[in-house]
Amino acid sequence: MPRSIIEYFAENEKSKCGYCKKPASNYSHGLWAHSLSVSDYQDLIDRGWRRSGKYCYKPTLDIICCPMYTIRCRALEFKASKSQKKVLKRFNKYLTGEYELVSAERKASSSSEEMNIDESGGELFVKSTQEPLKIDIEADLKYIDSPDDSNCEDTVQPSNSNHISGSDKIKVNSNTEQGPDPSKPSCKKAKQMRIERKLEKLRAQGKDMNILMNTISKEKQIEDFIKDLPEETKNKLEIKLVRTTSSSAEWTATANETHAVYVKYQMAIHGDTVEKCTEPKFREFLVQSPLVEEYSEVGPPCGYGSFHQQYRLNGKIIAVGVLDILPKCVSSVYFFYDPQYTNLTMGTYGTLREIEFTRHLHLICPELKYYYMGFYIHSCKKMRYKGAFTPSDLLCPETYNWFPIKDCIPKLEQSPYSRLDPDLRRVDGNIPSESDINFIPVLCKSQLLSYKVYRKKAGKRNDDAQEILQYANLVGAKCAKSLILVR
């Protein structure tokens, strides 16, 4: 079973907010993950944690200026909005050659709403100011639970899984009477007219009208819009899932091309300098991952872990979605694209394709049915676009239960920070007791000890126990017993 080895960074100073740009107004708890099982990371993000490279952080929502609420889309129930359908149709028209990319001048005049969607790309790069220790994550370890066993040699891996684990505009004269002409028949929507023409044609052919009406009235799903293409198109789009590990030949072969797209995106969309987009920084942010590659008989064929989903247009990479595939969800880490394709609304298109991908994986893995979009920040208008992918839920920062975003928005309109759970009697059911911390697995000098043994050997005082209790409260009782804490 994969082992999760982490370091907890208890002291974090306030930093500048990456959204509203206020100084010293952002605060979060952090941990460095040397390795992390997908099940442990699933539990962490369900408590408000999020990873940036190998660094995991949990914003302190009741303190920070722009509270960040974990948001997930119920992918199986997803219904594309009218504007989202337009994005899919426009992209398909581009593939068939019916739609052409606009010039650079027209790109600059794109609507602010569209740019707000595409500029976000996901969460900002969060980096720890503390340097992690060098740990041998492959070492065989024996879990020492009793002070009497503290001299045992480190030879056997623990067996206790609890501890390891355009229409044209019409100008109307103000003096002219407005409104429909009562002497003329009412206008019909183009969609209704198309349905009536189709029915008339099929009626003339003697087809069963009841079956045809059921077919026509059936609401189109996101897959129907994506696949609404002829067999041959002018432009060919291929979406390929690539594992981002050093041993992946596919990743190695496309690393330079992927990085080049990232540089273009960061400089054009976020205004970064070349120095901020170097290859090492890119790898640290979007390639390196603590998630252990895992496979299961009931899991997806690609396995669980971290991936790049490459959008290849006529063989050339034009966009990349950075994804984590976990037991219950597909988690979006970041999305970037070649700015040349901005007017195709690539940010929205990528999100829609990732929702469709989640639905596809659900057919293989029934437990996997959510699409996590990172953080929803209601106080930042640019980040509200995530709420347009419905139905979606927000995570309550106090009880860690999920609630429909439509029920949460009135509360967030009143206060940036809010307890989203309406039941004031409900509490967090995953809180550890003070005695529970005695059994937290601790890795110290290549020895795997229970915290009570470590504390006795190291002669730790009560303030250390308070720090460990704080850590356990943040990750939850379940993860506290599973994550190996480096001390």
Side-chain angles (χ1 to χ4, degrees):
M1 181 177 290
R3 297 180 303 181
S4 299
I5 303 177
I6 62 97
E7 288 180 63
Y8 174 57
F9 296 155
E11 297 179 4
N12 282 323
E13 297 181 357
K14 289 186 177 181
S15 59
K16 178 181 177 180
C17 177
Y19 299 100
C20 71
K21 309 303 180 183
K22 290 182 181 178
S25 60
N26 189 23
Y27 184 86
S28 64
H29 297 278
L31 58 86
W32 182 269
H34 294 274
S35 65
L36 201 57
S37 72
V38 292
S39 59
D40 282 337
Y41 185 53
Q42 178 75 68
D43 291 337
L44 285 175
I45 62 174
D46 284 338
R47 288 189 69 80
W49 289 83
R50 185 90 176 142
R51 80 172 184 88
S52 178
K54 289 190 172 185
Y55 181 69
C56 299
Y57 61 103
K58 185 183 189 319
T60 311
L61 273 60
D62 58 343
I63 296 177
I64 62 177
C65 52
C66 298
M68 309 172 194
Y69 299 85
T70 301
I71 181 172
R72 72 179 187 187
C73 173
R74 283 174 258 149
L76 307 188
E77 306 168 46
F78 174 74
K79 303 294 182 184
S81 67
K82 186 176 180 179
S83 62
Q84 291 163 357
K85 292 174 184 177
K86 284 183 178 180
V87 171
L88 294 172
K89 291 176 181 179
R90 184 192 305 139
F91 200 97
N92 284 355
K93 285 183 178 180
Y94 174 73
L95 295 179
T96 60
E98 300 175 65
Y99 179 85
E100 295 183 1
L101 297 176
V102 296
S103 63
E105 290 76 15
R106 287 182 63 192
K107 282 183 200 176
S109 63
S110 296
S111 71
S112 59
E113 179 182 1
E114 182 171 299
M115 290 302 293
N116 280 344
I117 290 174
D118 284 340
E119 283 184 345
S120 65
E123 274 59 65
L124 300 172
F125 178 29
V126 180
K127 185 178 180 181
S128 169
T129 56
Q130 302 184 46
E131 289 296 324
L133 298 172
K134 293 183 178 180
I135 304 297
D136 182 5
I137 63 174
E138 301 296 334
D140 289 331
L141 302 171
K142 178 182 178 181
Y143 183 71
I144 302 174
D145 189 29
S146 169
D148 298 333
D149 299 330
S150 59
N151 294 321
C152 295
E153 296 181 1
D154 314 331
T155 55
V156 184
Q157 184 174 337
S159 58
N160 190 334
S161 60
N162 286 330
H163 297 298
I164 305 295
S165 41
S167 59
D168 295 330
K169 293 183 178 179
I170 302 175
K171 295 183 179 179
V172 181
N173 190 300
S174 59
N175 297 322
T176 303
E177 183 179 349
Q178 300 182 36
D181 188 340
S183 65
K184 295 182 180 181
S186 60
C187 296
K188 295 181 180 179
K189 289 187 177 181
K191 181 179 179 181
Q192 180 63 26
M193 294 174 66
R194 288 196 301 270
I195 291 175
E196 290 182 1
R197 287 197 299 266
K198 186 172 183 179
L199 285 172
E200 187 63 34
K201 181 179 178 180
L202 294 171
R203 187 180 293 111
Q205 296 174 358
K207 300 292 180 68
D208 188 323
M209 299 311 297
N210 290 327
I211 297 176
L212 292 171
M213 281 300 296
N214 290 335
T215 302
I216 290 172
S217 62
K218 183 181 179 181
E219 186 175 358
K220 291 177 70 173
Q221 300 296 312
I222 184 173
E223 292 84 359
D224 299 320
F225 288 99
I226 291 172
K227 296 175 182 177
D228 189 16
L229 286 166
E231 291 185 9
E232 293 296 326
T233 58
K234 178 181 178 180
N235 297 298
K236 306 291 184 182
L237 176 69
E238 178 189 14
I239 299 182
K240 195 166 187 179
L241 194 67
V242 177
R243 230 183 231 287
T244 51
T245 59
S246 56
S247 59
S248 171
E250 285 184 310
W251 160 247
T252 302
T254 58
N256 291 337
E257 186 180 3
T258 301
H259 176 241
V261 174
Y262 171 75
V263 173
K264 288 181 183 179
Y265 174 82
Q266 293 297 122
M267 293 180 66
I269 304 300
H270 292 293
D272 284 355
T273 61
V274 176
E275 291 73 23
K276 286 187 176 182
C277 308
T278 62
E279 196 267 348
K281 291 182 178 179
F282 165 66
R283 285 181 177 269
E284 182 182 4
F285 179 25
L286 296 176
V287 181
Q288 294 177 4
S289 169
L291 298 186
V292 180
E293 184 176 342
E294 296 182 40
Y295 295 89
S296 166
E297 291 183 359
V298 296
C302 60
Y304 298 107
S306 298
F307 300 83
H308 276 189
Q309 198 169 49
Q310 301 173 342
Y311 293 66
R312 299 181 181 183
L313 185 66
N314 302 325
K316 175 186 175 183
I317 296 177
I318 65 163
V320 176
V322 185
L323 303 174
D324 291 332
I325 300 179
L326 305 175
K328 297 180 182 178
C329 73
V330 170
S331 175
S332 173
V333 179
Y334 204 71
F335 188 87
F336 58 94
Y337 57 88
D338 189 327
Q340 177 184 347
Y341 302 92
T342 295
N343 64 302
L344 288 176
T345 324
M346 288 301 299
T348 300
Y349 184 76
T351 300
L352 293 169
R353 291 305 299 255
E354 290 174 0
I355 292 173
E356 184 269 338
F357 178 58
T358 304
R359 291 160 65 104
H360 168 72
L361 291 181
H362 170 74
L363 298 176
I364 308 168
C365 321
E367 293 296 315
L368 200 161
K369 52 187 176 182
Y370 299 106
Y371 172 65
Y372 283 50
M373 295 178 279
F375 291 132
Y376 174 82
I377 308 172
H378 194 73
S379 58
C380 179
K381 292 184 178 180
K382 184 184 290 188
M383 296 301 288
R384 291 184 184 179
Y385 77 93
K386 297 181 181 182
F389 296 90
T390 58
S392 290
D393 306 312
L394 297 184
L395 184 69
C396 177
E398 296 182 10
T399 64
Y400 301 104
N401 291 312
W402 297 92
F403 298 93
I405 190 171
K406 62 182 179 63
D407 297 336
C408 301
I409 288 179
K411 297 179 180 180
L412 299 179
E413 286 285 347
Q414 294 181 358
S415 172
Y417 173 78
S418 175
R419 172 194 168 100
L420 303 179
D421 193 328
D423 187 348
L424 299 180
R425 298 168 298 176
R426 191 149 43 206
V427 296
D428 177 9
N430 193 22
I431 285 288
S433 65
E434 290 193 28
S435 61
D436 286 340
I437 71 170
N438 289 326
F439 304 100
I440 291 176
V442 175
L443 181 62
C444 179
K445 297 179 181 180
S446 299
Q447 278 194 319
L448 186 57
L449 319 167
S450 65
Y451 179 70
K452 65 180 180 182
V453 174
Y454 160 77
R455 189 180 178 190
K456 182 176 181 179
K457 291 185 65 174
K460 291 296 181 180
R461 299 175 300 181
N462 288 334
D463 55 349
D464 185 73
Q466 290 302 312
E467 180 182 307
I468 297 297
L469 183 59
Q470 179 193 56
Y471 152 77
N473 286 332
L474 290 168
V475 302
K478 183 179 178 183
C479 273
K481 296 177 182 178
S482 178
L483 304 176
I484 299 176
L485 181 64
V486 177
R487 302 297 280 175

